[in-house]
């Protein structure tokens, strides 16, 4: 094995985490990240001078200036239009590094490797397996093709593994999402007043931001909310922003250190998506000492008991779940997380 070559979006936190983690572990190997996008649609630039980046045909300049529902559709169209160019670029890279392992994250880059006929490891994202195949027969067909083409598939939860087995008959390897304990613990042990309530997932319909705001409106306490999110659907935000209060803090995408500082001063984090695989940000909130209000998902059964005690399982049929979550958080957040 010559090098390990990741193929993904360089603005994707998960893909870059994979790349940097493997780079820190495999110090004797050359670790390269191949990408077609770095900072389009106003995404923060995640790469730095220490990263070994190879660009395919960069599509950033063809994308919308900001994230939106229509921007997502247009991005997918652009990716399909330039697919022949990307295949040629990827084949050229594969010829240059013939004894390398290619790891594609997420499904689009698995599709690209499949068309370029490059052996690859594939890591799909949660919604690509848990949601989209059940909304579109065409997507389901191509997803199955990509899964079957992969030499190995890695996922972050039993739920994902079971769905891949159902879709393709193929067994996926479970590699649980990790968190940077060395970065969190020195900050978490410091005394802090816990007062904030945070939503910490994407600002899209999948993460039920509208339902969170409705629940807050029914609350007797109606606390100020801090919104942090790695990505946003602008059209969805415009629909629900009239429910925001002037006191709410719309913080957007934070660095890891900024996020940890906020969570260490928070008593409650909210994460109630329609579907979920293995939510790293929830684990990070727990290690920062937060209580996290979540809807039930199978990943809950896989975590330790001490982590489970920080969770408040939300019943969305209960109109007053928000106040009940706050009440539980007031108690549990006073107890240091060990």
């Amino acid at each position: 094995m010559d090098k390990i070559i990741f193929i993904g979006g360089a603005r994707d936190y998960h893909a870059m985490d994979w790349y940097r983690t493997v780079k820190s572990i495999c110090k004797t190997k050359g670790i390269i990240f191949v990408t077609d996008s770095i900072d389009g649609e106003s995404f923060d630039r995640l790469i730095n001078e220490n990263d070994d980046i190879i660009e395919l045909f960069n599509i950033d300049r063809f994308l919308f200036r900001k994230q939106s529902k229509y921007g997502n559709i247009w991005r997918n169209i652009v990716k399909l239009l330039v697919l022949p160019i990307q295949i040629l670029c990827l084949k050229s890279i594969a010829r240059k590094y013939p004894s390398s392992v290619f790891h594609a994250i997420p499904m689009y880059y698995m599709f690209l490797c499949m068309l370029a006929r490059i052996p690859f490891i594939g890591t799909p994202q949660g919604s690509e397996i848990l949601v989209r195949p059940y909304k579109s027969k065409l997507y389901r067909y191509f997803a199955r093709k990509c899964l079957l083409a992969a030499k190995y598939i890695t996922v972050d939860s039993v739920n994902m593994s079971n769905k891949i087995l159902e879709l393709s008959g193929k067994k996926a390897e479970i590699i649980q999402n990790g968190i940077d304990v060395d970065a969190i613990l020195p900050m978490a042990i410091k005394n802090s007043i816990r007062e904030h309530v945070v939503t910490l997932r994407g600002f899209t319909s999948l993460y039920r931001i509208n339902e969170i705001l409705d629940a807050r409106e029914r609350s007797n306490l109606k606390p100020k909310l801090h919104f942090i999110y790695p990505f946003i659907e602008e059209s969805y935000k415009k629909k629900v922003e009239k429910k925001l209060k002037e006191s709410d803090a719309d913080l957007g995408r934070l660095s890891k250190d900024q996020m940890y500082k906020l969570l260490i001063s928070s008593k409650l984090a909210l994460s109630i998506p329609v579907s979920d695989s293995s939510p790293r940000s929830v684990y990070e909130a727990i290690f920062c000492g937060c209580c996290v209000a979540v809807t039930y998902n199978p990943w809950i059964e896989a975590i330790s008991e001490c982590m489970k005690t920080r969770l408040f399982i939300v019943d969305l049929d209960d109109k007053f779940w928000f106040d009940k979550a706050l009440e539980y958080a007031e108690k549990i957040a006073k107890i240091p997380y060990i």
Side-chain angles (χ1 to χ4, degrees):
M1 183 174 65
D2 181 20
K3 296 183 183 298
I4 300 172
I5 300 177
F6 287 90
I7 307 168
R11 62 189 199 176
D12 181 341
Y13 265 126
H14 287 294
M16 291 304 292
D17 274 349
W18 263 98
Y19 164 71
R20 293 209 171 106
T21 301
V22 172
K23 191 175 180 180
S24 69
I25 294 168
C26 302
K27 297 186 184 297
T28 60
K29 298 289 180 185
I31 316 296
I32 297 172
F33 197 94
V34 174
T35 187
D36 61 351
S37 181
I38 293 175
D39 54 9
E41 297 174 293
S42 298
F43 273 81
D44 294 336
R45 192 179 181 89
L46 299 180
I47 65 172
N48 58 49
E49 65 276 3
N50 297 318
D51 296 324
D52 194 349
I53 305 294
I54 297 178
E55 290 189 45
L56 300 168
F57 181 75
N58 192 309
I59 64 171
D60 285 340
R61 62 187 180 275
F62 301 106
L63 305 180
F64 285 15
R65 289 186 178 182
K66 292 185 177 180
Q67 302 170 64
S68 68
K69 178 181 179 181
Y70 297 110
N72 292 339
I73 295 170
W74 174 245
R75 187 193 324 113
N76 291 333
I77 292 171
V78 170
K79 285 191 171 189
L80 286 174
L81 289 175
V82 302
L83 198 56
I85 301 173
Q86 307 294 31
I87 291 169
L88 292 174
C89 291
L90 189 54
K91 282 184 173 181
S92 176
I93 294 168
R95 286 193 296 269
K96 187 177 179 181
Y97 302 104
S99 301
S100 298
V101 169
F102 287 79
H103 189 154
I105 309 172
M107 189 69 79
Y108 168 77
Y109 300 97
M110 294 170 62
F111 183 55
L112 182 57
C113 286
M114 179 185 75
L115 294 180
R117 297 186 178 180
I118 295 172
F120 68 96
I121 298 168
T123 300
Q125 288 180 338
S127 60
E128 293 175 333
I129 299 300
L130 302 177
V131 178
R132 294 178 198 172
Y134 304 95
K135 288 187 173 181
S136 166
K137 289 183 179 179
L138 183 64
Y139 181 91
R140 185 185 180 96
Y141 172 81
F142 282 109
R144 185 173 182 275
K145 286 281 188 183
C146 291
L147 295 170
L148 290 173
K151 290 294 182 182
Y152 295 95
I153 305 164
T154 76
V155 294
D156 58 16
S157 69
V158 173
N159 195 22
M160 285 274 283
S161 180
N162 290 341
K163 288 295 182 182
I164 284 174
L165 188 64
E166 178 185 305
L167 282 169
S168 65
K170 199 164 184 175
K171 186 178 183 296
E173 302 296 330
I174 299 173
I175 301 179
Q176 182 70 44
N177 279 333
I179 65 170
D180 191 343
V181 177
D182 289 338
I184 293 174
L185 291 186
M187 301 169 69
I189 60 175
K190 296 177 181 177
N191 291 329
S192 177
I193 298 173
R194 293 188 176 274
E195 55 185 352
H196 301 314
V197 179
V198 182
T199 74
L200 73 172
R201 308 297 295 275
F203 205 119
T204 71
S205 58
L206 175 65
Y207 296 102
R208 292 185 171 127
I209 304 299
N210 185 54
E211 286 82 347
I212 289 173
L213 290 169
D214 284 345
R216 193 261 299 269
E217 191 58 34
R218 292 191 297 268
S219 164
N220 292 319
L221 301 172
K222 295 180 173 55
K224 168 184 176 179
L225 294 177
H226 284 69
F227 292 89
I228 60 174
Y229 41 87
F231 51 88
I232 183 173
E233 189 178 294
E234 286 287 351
S235 57
Y236 177 74
K237 187 180 180 185
K238 286 179 181 178
K239 288 180 182 177
V240 304
E241 64 184 1
K242 62 179 180 291
K243 298 180 181 180
L244 299 178
K245 298 182 181 297
E246 287 186 12
S247 59
D248 290 336
D250 184 359
L251 302 177
R253 195 174 193 173
L254 300 182
S255 69
K256 285 290 186 182
D257 283 349
Q258 290 172 326
M259 182 179 77
Y260 297 153
K261 287 177 182 177
L262 176 62
L263 292 175
I264 287 164
S265 63
S266 299
K267 57 187 173 184
L268 177 65
L270 301 163
S271 174
I272 58 167
V274 175
S275 69
D276 221 352
S277 177
S278 181
R280 181 183 310 191
S281 57
V282 170
Y283 307 154
E284 289 171 323
I286 290 171
F287 272 69
C288 286
C290 284
C291 170
V292 189
V294 298
T295 42
Y296 178 80
N297 273 285
W299 62 263
I300 293 172
E301 304 304 327
I303 64 175
S304 64
E305 289 302 319
C306 63
M307 293 177 76
K308 288 179 185 176
T309 62
R310 313 302 283 198
L311 299 181
F312 177 85
I313 309 300
V314 171
D315 176 5
L316 293 176
D317 291 329
D318 182 350
K319 291 183 178 181
F320 304 105
W321 66 261
F322 199 110
D323 279 350
K324 291 177 181 178
L326 280 170
E327 183 181 354
Y328 184 76
E330 289 285 356
K331 296 176 184 177
I332 199 69
K334 290 176 182 177
I335 304 170
Y337 178 71
I338 308 298

